[in-house]
Amino acid sequence: QSVTDNATHIMLVAAGTADTTLIDGITFRKGYAYLGGNYMFNGKNFLRNNGGAISSHTSLLHITDCNFYNNTGGTQSGAVHINGGRFVSTGSLYDGNTAGSGGAVCAEALVDTLRLVANVWVRNTASTGTGGAVFGTFPSTSTYTDMS
């Protein structure tokens, strides 16, 4: 089955910064974000070509013990795209994800915290840019621990 017949993004997060969205123990496989344009969801503007599995906008997102397999993003982030807010990923597997930049994860512009702890990064690729596994555009605070 081709991934191109999948919906854009598997999950959107637009909860805002008042509460944390916790995603625990879920497998995301063959998410696809490769279309042009944008759309509004919960008052936030999402790009259709970023974040094949998850696209988060101005939210507090914590991912723990999740698996991301073979997700595709056109411009940025095959697995998880973060546009503003905070992002923490703990004990998750990112395998075979691809995008222009940030094959697995892209934390963009207004992200104030990017914290990656004890995750496993395997075969993620950036086809035209940088960051085969992770690409960040100047988060205020970045912490990378136990990277493998």
Side-chain angles (χ1 to χ4, degrees):
Q1 176 183 358
S2 170
V3 296
T4 60
D5 62 357
N6 293 348
T8 301
H9 320 294
I10 294 172
M11 180 182 290
L12 294 176
V13 179
T17 56
D19 294 308
T20 299
T21 300
L22 173 63
I23 301 171
D24 187 359
I26 298 175
T27 294
F28 296 86
R29 187 182 311 270
K30 293 186 179 180
Y32 184 77
Y34 216 90
L35 304 172
N38 59 333
Y39 58 96
M40 297 296 288
F41 174 75
N42 203 24
K44 308 211 188 283
N45 187 29
F46 285 85
L47 297 174
R48 293 183 187 276
N49 59 349
N50 293 339
I54 299 173
S55 187
S56 176
H57 196 302
T58 321
S59 297
L60 306 178
L61 178 60
H62 188 144
I63 293 173
T64 186
D65 298 324
C66 289
N67 298 304
F68 295 87
Y69 297 108
N70 304 314
N71 297 287
T72 302
T75 304
Q76 296 174 332
S77 54
V80 182
H81 183 258
I82 308 300
N83 186 0
R86 294 183 182 142
F87 177 60
V88 177
S89 178
T90 306
S92 294
L93 169 65
Y94 296 85
D95 185 358
N97 303 287
T98 188
S101 293
V105 173
C106 177
E108 185 171 25
L110 303 173
V111 172
D112 87 5
T113 301
L114 172 63
R115 187 163 184 253
L116 306 173
V117 180
N119 298 288
V120 176
W121 310 88
V122 182
R123 297 182 303 249
N124 299 290
T125 56
S127 59
T128 60
T130 57
V134 179
F135 176 72
T137 57
F138 308 106
S140 300
T141 304
S142 296
T143 306
Y144 308 93
T145 18
D146 301 325
M147 300 279 288
S148 61

